[in-house]
Amino acid sequence: MQDVADAAGVSVGTVSNVLNHPAKVSPATAERVREAIGRLGFVRNDAARSLVSGSTNSVGMVLADIENSLFIDMAHGAQDAARAVGQNLLLANTACDMRLQDDYLDLFDESRVTGVLLAPMEDSSSGIARIRSHGRQVVLLNYAPKPGTCCSVLVNNEHVGYLAARHLIDTGRTRLGYVVAHDDYQPVRDRRRGVRAAVEEAGPGVTLEEIDSVGLTAAHGHAVGRDLARRAPGDLPDGLIVVTDALANAIIHELHILAGVRVPEQVAIVGCENNRGAGTSAVPLTAVDMPGRMMGQEAIRLLMDEVASGKQHRHATVVLEPELIVRASAPR
Amino acid sequence: MQDVADAAGVSVGTVSNVLNHPAKVSPATAERVREAIGRLGFVRNDAARSLVSGSTNSVGMVLADIENSLFIDMAHGAQDAARAVGQNLLLANTACDMRLQDDYLDLFDESRVTGVLLAPMEDSSSGIARIRSHGRQVVLLNYAPKPGTCCSVLVNNEHVGYLAARHLIDTGRTRLGYVVAHDDYQPVRDRRRGVRAAVEEAGPGVTLEEIDSVGLTAAHGHAVGRDLARRAPGDLPDGLIVVTDALANAIIHELHILAGVRVPEQVAIVGCENNRGAGTSAVPLTAVDMPGRMMGQEAIRLLMDEVASGKQHRHATVVLEPELIVRASAPR
DNA sequence: GACGCGTCTTGAAGCGCTCCAAAGTCTAGC
DNA sequence: GCTAGACTTTGGAGCGCTTCAAGACGCGTC
């Protein structure tokens, strides 16, 4: 910066002003300084800037699973909203590894980001508490915080389950199956409650069987699908609520393509996330849509709110409603 | 830091040593300092650290399209490799917006990251030149740089096209179609060359028709699929090479599911990226696999190499070979 | 007891920037 | 010609840390 100042025949203070408060500098001087900056290839040092200002204009976003398009949608929404308020969004993927998650939380903490958006797959209260205790703001996505610990943006996951089950019941299915795994993951727990509520509401004519999958990936879905295909026809549920799309697609594949169990005629299937690709799978998937983009936007809004209002901030939870998207795997 | 020093009854220099050179400090003192750090909730300021050291231990990765699982794979591979050498990986998504890409390149430049990994969808020489001229190291992914400007990790995209076409020819298809769009995107251009080479090699018994799609998304694929479905049966290619998986899946859907044109019996289809989900679509997709993870790893290796060897570094290009994955849409 | 030699610890310089009080410059008005 | 007031520019303090020369301390040796 001193070099630039010398080259332009001004002081460093003026160079700084050209960069940060152009109105304070006369047009002629500013032009000279800018020319020198260009000629010398000067890049201001962000570390020094934020050392002085005590903050940055970046928001850190820690994502548990970048493979899942829901998380990608959240990142998209957050990015749009962040840029609208002059913040950059930095992404970090933990691949469901809590150690990595803690590392990234600390990294963002140490780099004094404006705030952190966290979309975890497990309870993360300790990490949140740690960086919050340093004054770092956190907004939790798709995972309810311990009451009063931070802001959060959730989807009404109970209603996700309810909508899925209700749709099957409304279209005449009476022997429902709920394929589920990873029951310690909070959104999954919530969905189950919704499924049960819909079944109870329907009365004794509708039954519910819970079918355990070992995990949430496609491979697990194939295993479940094969098991189901082996059942006697009368023993098969006529409607399946599947807790994730990846699982649902794999089950459809085993049932419909490989085993000849027709979807939706024999078994109607509803997925719970409406991931990218849900519409182009073997049988386009009826699914409950999670509004990922909007979640990201809301999260940034809450974060900037908290940053702006300082001490008198009150934590808020925004709950967005899911929406059923009807496709061929469980038609109207 | 001064507070910690006071609390532990030592000087700031000692606190710094506890954090960075524990061997220099007696165990008893170190313990006292650590206790004070914990009690006071001290978080060291990364900005000040990197201001002094002139560098960080983060690598920035700028991705053109986080929706495409190839990019996600690259991020995964890079993350693993980066952590193995003590670097954090920060992700940024440009959503194919060159202005955003430039902003993120500058952001990483200003924050003095160890280096930048860039996976663009357009020629980015000006951005690369800009930050390289400031001494920032860049490795380009899946896009050949101007000769001699930086290191890069590529896939032999010509061979991608060749493998796809060759497989169809080897399995007896004679009227090939190549569905393509976005021909200014370098990898796409390369693939076409490979397709043509395979067809020429096969001699006059094999014909090639190039079918223009307007874009690379699923919606474009549906349009192409509908057009094809309307053709007289004899007019339809019996083998289709499709430049991306998303496009291929949409075409399969239109042809096989909606129009009753059987895949692979009437038309065999090969995709070119082997994205996530290629195996679970309506008809599991035969596709040429891009080794995304390994690309990410190699990129970090090249970057750290360049950082370590300084002046005497010579740019290198690593070209990885693709591999054909045979599935139902174009069986053996 | 003086000395030398490790081992620990200290304190200050300086990284590159922003901010601000103070100084400098210019114009208009009397 | 002098001055008030507006506009520009300057130069130095200080952000929080690392590093390093120099000082303090302990201990064995002559």
Side-chain angles (χ1 to χ4, degrees), chain B residues 13-225:
Chain B
T14 301
V15 176
S16 173
N17 279 336
V18 170
L19 257 20
N20 301 301
H21 310 283
K24 287 190 182 174
V25 183
S26 74
T29 313
E31 191 39 53
R32 234 174 337 126
V33 170
R34 266 190 275 271
E35 185 275 331
I37 288 176
R39 187 154 46 81
L40 272 53
F42 166 78
V43 182
R44 69 175 165 209
N45 186 322
D46 208 45
R49 292 192 75 195
S50 61
L51 177 55
V52 173
S53 69
S55 69
T56 64
N57 42 224
S58 296
V59 172
M61 185 169 196
V62 179
L63 266 17
D65 183 14
I66 209 179
E67 313 252 323
N68 184 324
S69 68
L70 171 62
F71 289 80
I72 299 293
D73 286 344
M74 296 192 286
H76 254 143
Q79 169 137 298
D80 291 347
R83 290 194 60 84
V85 295
Q87 297 277 328
N88 291 109
L89 188 74
L90 258 17
L91 264 27
N93 177 35
T94 72
C96 299
D97 176 342
M98 285 302 272
R99 252 194 52 210
L100 250 175
Q101 176 172 311
D102 277 330
D103 284 358
Y104 274 117
L105 287 178
D106 290 342
L107 175 68
F108 284 137
D109 191 12
E110 290 184 5
S111 25
R112 305 290 193 267
V113 292
T114 308
V116 174
L117 267 34
L118 172 62
M121 291 271 275
E122 289 179 47
D123 180 89
S124 309
S125 354
S126 74
I128 295 170
R130 188 174 65 250
I131 73 173
R132 278 203 67 87
S133 74
H134 308 146
R136 193 81 27 227
Q137 328 277 25
V138 183
V139 175
L140 206 50
L141 274 151
N142 204 33
Y143 210 103
K146 268 200 209 158
T149 56
C150 64
C151 285
S152 57
V153 181
L154 309 176
V155 172
N156 186 339
N157 267 301
E158 186 167 338
H159 202 52
V160 168
Y162 180 86
L163 281 177
R166 189 58 209 247
H167 175 68
L168 291 173
I169 295 168
D170 284 350
T171 53
R173 310 289 166 159
T174 55
R175 283 168 295 121
L176 303 191
Y178 176 46
V179 180
V180 65
H182 217 318
D183 205 44
D184 47 331
Y185 180 39
Q186 189 197 66
V188 168
R189 261 199 319 267
D190 291 349
R191 286 172 200 168
R192 159 177 287 161
R193 269 215 309 282
V195 170
R196 287 183 178 166
V199 171
E200 273 167 34
E201 191 182 288
V206 176
T207 61
L208 175 66
E209 173 191 1
E210 298 200 354
I211 299 166
D212 252 320
S213 167
V214 179
L216 294 174
T217 71
H220 298 117
H222 283 287
V224 171

Side-chain angles (χ1 to χ4, degrees), chain B residues 220-285:
Chain B
H220 298 117
H222 283 287
V224 171
R226 276 193 298 273
D227 281 353
L228 287 171
R230 263 189 241 110
R231 293 193 182 186
D235 221 21
L236 210 57
D238 60 1
L240 236 37
I241 301 122
V242 187
V243 78
T244 65
D245 284 15
L247 220 46
N249 280 329
I251 292 174
I252 290 181
H253 191 253
E254 289 291 335
L255 252 33
H256 185 91
I257 308 278
L258 299 183
V261 176
R262 275 168 305 133
V263 177
E265 293 81 358
Q266 291 174 267
V267 187
I269 297 186
V270 183
C272 283
E273 296 193 325
N274 195 32
N275 278 336
R276 202 98 41 208
T280 56
S281 59
V283 181
L285 189 67

Side-chain angles (χ1 to χ4, degrees), chain A residues 19-239:
Chain A
L19 258 20
N20 302 300
H21 310 283
K24 287 190 180 174
V25 182
S26 75
T29 313
E31 192 38 53
R32 237 176 333 128
V33 170
R34 267 191 274 269
E35 185 275 331
I37 288 177
R39 187 153 46 80
L40 272 53
F42 166 78
V43 182
R44 69 175 166 209
N45 186 320
D46 209 45
R49 293 191 74 194
S50 61
L51 176 56
V52 174
S53 67
S55 69
T56 64
N57 42 225
S58 297
V59 171
M61 185 169 197
V62 179
L63 265 16
D65 182 14
I66 207 178
E67 314 253 324
N68 185 324
S69 68
L70 172 61
F71 289 80
I72 299 294
D73 286 345
M74 295 192 287
H76 254 141
Q79 168 136 299
D80 292 347
R83 291 195 59 85
V85 296
Q87 297 278 328
N88 290 109
L89 187 74
L90 258 17
L91 264 26
N93 177 34
T94 72
C96 299
D97 175 343
M98 284 304 270
R99 254 194 50 210
L100 249 175
Q101 177 172 310
D102 277 331
D103 284 358
Y104 274 117
L105 287 177
D106 290 342
L107 175 68
F108 285 137
D109 192 12
E110 290 183 5
S111 24
R112 306 287 193 269
V113 293
T114 308
V116 174
L117 266 34
L118 172 62
M121 290 272 275
E122 290 178 47
D123 180 89
S124 309
S125 353
S126 75
I128 295 170
R130 187 174 64 250
I131 73 172
R132 279 204 66 87
S133 75
H134 307 148
R136 192 81 27 226
Q137 328 277 24
V138 183
V139 174
L140 205 50
L141 274 151
N142 205 32
Y143 211 104
K146 268 199 209 157
T149 56
C150 63
C151 285
S152 56
V153 181
L154 309 176
V155 171
N156 186 341
N157 268 301
E158 186 167 340
H159 201 52
V160 169
Y162 179 87
L163 281 178
R166 189 58 210 245
H167 175 67
L168 291 173
I169 295 167
D170 284 350
T171 53
R173 311 290 165 158
T174 55
R175 284 166 294 121
L176 302 191
Y178 177 46
V179 180
V180 65
H182 216 318
D183 206 45
D184 47 330
Y185 179 40
Q186 189 197 64
V188 168
R189 258 195 326 262
D190 291 348
R191 286 172 200 168
R192 160 176 286 160
R193 268 214 310 281
V195 170
R196 288 184 177 164
V199 170
E200 273 167 36
E201 191 182 287
V206 176
T207 62
L208 176 66
E209 173 191 1
E210 298 200 354
I211 300 166
D212 250 320
S213 166
V214 181
L216 294 175
T217 70
H220 298 118
H222 283 287
V224 171
R226 277 193 298 274
D227 281 355
L228 286 172
R230 264 189 241 108
R231 293 193 183 186
D235 221 21
L236 210 59
D238 60 3

Side-chain angles (χ1 to χ4, degrees), chain A residues 167-168 171 263-264 268-270 283-286 326-332:
Chain A
H167 175 67
L168 291 173
T171 53
V263 177
I269 297 186
V270 183
V283 180
L285 188 67
T286 292
V326 177
R327 300 200 187 86
S329 74
R332 219 172 289 283

